[in-house]
Amino acid sequence: MWEYLTDPFNWSGTEGIWARILQHLWYTFAALALSLVIALPVGMRIGHTRRGAFLAINAGNAARALPSLGLLMLAVLLTDQIGFLPVLIALVALGVPPILASTYAGLSGVDPATIDAARGMGMTGREILTKVEIPIGLPLIISGVRSATLQIVSTATIAALVSLGGLGRYVIDGLKLRDFPQMFTGALLVALLALLLDALFALIGRFTVSRGLKIG
Amino acid sequence: MSWIGDNLGLIWEQLVEHLYLAILPVILGLIVSVPLGYVATRYSWLANPLIAFGGILYSLPSIALFIVLPAILGTKVLSTVNIIVALTIYAVSLLIRNVIDGLRSVPPDVRQSAVAVGYGAVHRLVAVDLPIAVPVIFTGLRVVTVANISMVSVGAVIGIGGLGELFTLGFQKDFLTPVVVGVVLSLGLALLADLVLVTLQRVLTPWARTATPVVEVA
């Protein structure tokens, strides 16, 4: 594995390690962005109005049971396409539930007395949402985005099964060729990428969450 | 539909393998994390590093673990041991937190009463601390079990995955039925396992049902 990683030839070109990492990140961020666009507004609406809570609570549990490989194969066969679209569908299906559940949990966990106080000060529903509920719920929202990211980044590996790129290529190609150093390289790089992204979200959490919340 | 009828044997075989690959690691994980969690509550400086380390382990992608483990364990890539060890690692990394939190939730006066009545360390752990920790430990058990059931199928990428093999089969033959069967059975298995755990928890904590809520007198 060390030889594979230290060979400069393996790092350059359109099939080199850098290119694969960028592809992997592209799948991850595309799926994450789409998941956020879907899950954040829905989660906020449910958390703010407290209607449909049943859906939000169970989304988180149901998502853990979804077999990612099965979703991908299902998406491939249903869209009748091999490529980016089925991968995106499968990854978004994994990304939406944790964000939805944690956004709901973050917003609905805000102390009702705090919301009453905000209303008493004359805040409108929208102001309560943006100035009170979202900032207070932010730590939980971020932790949901964080677990969605971890799910997506590790599952993006299976994109290689439907002839896409990304770090999964090393795993899948290496498996076919019985080239184990190549497989280890892919597996190790995915693990490192996951840890790196996790650390990134920990940092985002540290810098965006209000100081007042951290003390309490 | 006729595919299902013709392949009942195969489906059953994969279902059983799936269950075995998912549940054995949960049991092993519990066996490892209870003593580990106990030690961490006795020597409390151990608890936070253990929980943090568990968090890191849990963030490793399953496919990476399935592949890197053979190199570390010296097993063959196509050995079921890899899947079982990998999923056990996930189980421990998640359960350790729940065991520690659960044991910490034992009220100090309860602990003191047990000591005063003459319970030794092991007896107290089994008869007093663990039963009180059951709800918190079971929360973790449920998460781990459901997650494991869905993760097992990823093993199909390297050729051992229970129901996951129905996914690869359907994909290779461009045939939807096995994939749908696999997804439905995998979801059903997760649901059923969760139900069993909820029931087991109720059986293990009979007092949780009989306890009446404390009525506050104004």
Side-chain angles (χ1 to χ4, degrees):
Chain A
M1 180 176 79
W2 200 239
E3 281 166 33
Y4 194 93
L5 271 176
T6 47
D7 186 349
F9 174 77
N10 289 326
W11 283 83
S12 56
T14 51
E15 299 200 337
I17 293 174
W18 285 123
R20 293 294 185 217
I21 291 178
L22 284 179
Q23 284 169 338
H24 204 94
L25 282 174
W26 156 237
Y27 306 148
T28 303
F29 283 122
L32 185 65
L34 198 57
S35 304
L36 284 170
V37 167
I38 298 170
L40 277 183
V42 179
M44 280 176 187
R45 177 149 192 93
I46 296 175
H48 182 68
T49 62
R50 323 236 160 163
R51 257 176 280 164
F54 180 79
L55 174 84
I57 294 166
N58 288 296
N61 297 329
R64 270 198 287 271
L66 287 176
S68 49
L69 190 65
L71 282 185
L72 177 65
M73 300 308 173
L74 211 58
V76 167
L77 295 173
L78 287 177
T79 58
D80 210 15
Q81 272 189 46
I82 283 190
F84 190 54
L85 182 67
V87 170
L88 196 63
I89 293 175
L91 294 183
V92 169
L94 292 176
V96 164
I99 301 175
L100 182 66
S102 68
T103 306
Y104 160 76
L107 260 60
S108 67
V110 178
D111 187 346
T114 310
I115 295 172
D116 280 349
R119 191 165 290 132
M121 285 170 64
M123 284 193 182
T124 61
R126 173 166 292 272
E127 280 176 321
I128 292 175
L129 179 68
T130 55
K131 290 184 180 164
V132 179
E133 290 176 322
I134 293 178
I136 294 181
L138 201 59
L140 264 176
I141 298 176
I142 291 175
S143 85
V145 177
R146 213 168 142 177
S147 56
T149 311
L150 283 182
Q151 279 258 19
I152 292 173
V153 79
S154 60
T155 311
T157 316
I158 59 179
L161 281 176
V162 290
S163 66
L164 283 190
L167 292 169
R169 274 259 76 89
Y170 298 116
V171 176
I172 308 300
D173 292 349
L175 188 70
K176 274 182 201 142
L177 301 169
R178 302 273 146 189
D179 179 357
F180 296 119
Q182 194 185 351
M183 283 171 78
F184 296 145
T185 304
L188 190 78
L189 288 173
V190 178
L192 285 178
L193 203 60
L195 290 177
L196 218 66
L197 286 177
D198 198 39
L200 179 74
F201 277 102
L203 272 180
I204 291 178
R206 186 161 299 173
F207 287 111
T208 53
V209 172
S210 154
R211 271 202 208 152
L213 287 169
K214 278 178 225 167
I215 298 164
Chain B
M1 271 300 145
S2 67
W3 182 88
I4 299 177
D6 294 340
N7 291 280
L8 275 181
L10 172 77
I11 296 172
W12 177 250
E13 207 175 285
Q14 303 297 4
L15 188 70
V16 172
E17 191 190 29
H18 198 100
L19 199 60
Y20 165 75
L21 287 175
I23 302 298
L24 185 62
V26 178
I27 297 168
L28 291 176
L30 195 62
I31 293 173
V32 175
S33 30
V34 167
L36 210 58
Y38 177 70
V39 172
T41 44
R42 292 227 25 193
Y43 306 96
S44 52
W45 54 269
L46 258 174
N48 285 332
L50 262 180
I51 292 174
F53 186 61
I56 292 175
L57 282 181
Y58 198 73
S59 65
L60 297 176
S62 52
I63 198 163
L65 215 50
F66 289 162
I67 287 164
V68 171
L69 271 178
I72 299 170
L73 299 174
T75 48
K76 293 210 169 71
V77 170
L78 280 173
S79 163
T80 49
V81 175
N82 305 323
I83 309 266
I84 290 171
V85 174
L87 294 182
T88 304
I89 291 176
Y90 283 126
V92 173
S93 66
L94 224 133
L95 281 175
I96 187 77
R97 173 180 215 125
N98 291 76
V99 171
I100 292 173
D101 286 349
L103 290 178
R104 277 178 178 167
S105 75
V106 178
D109 47 352
V110 171
R111 193 165 290 169
Q112 279 166 11
S113 316
V115 174
V117 178
Y119 280 61
V122 175
H123 192 190
R124 202 194 74 210
L125 175 70
V126 176
V128 180
D129 293 358
L130 280 179
I132 292 177
V134 159
V136 186
I137 295 179
F138 263 70
T139 310
L141 270 182
R142 289 174 63 188
V143 173
V144 166
T145 308
V146 171
N148 267 6
I149 288 176
S150 78
M151 244 186 295
V152 165
S153 53
V154 174
V157 174
I158 57 166
I160 345 152
L163 294 168
E165 296 189 31
L166 300 180
F167 303 153
T168 40
L169 181 87
F171 178 62
Q172 279 155 7
K173 294 191 171 167
D174 195 11
F175 182 38
L176 197 59
T177 314
V179 182
V180 175
V181 170
V183 171
V184 169
L185 285 181
S186 181
L187 284 175
L189 214 54
L191 197 72
L192 197 71
D194 200 42
L195 212 67
V196 169
L197 283 175
V198 174
T199 315
L200 194 64
Q201 185 186 341
R202 282 177 61 105
V203 172
L204 286 175
T205 55
W207 57 87
R209 271 168 290 156
T210 50
T212 43
V214 181
V215 181
E216 276 188 52
V217 183

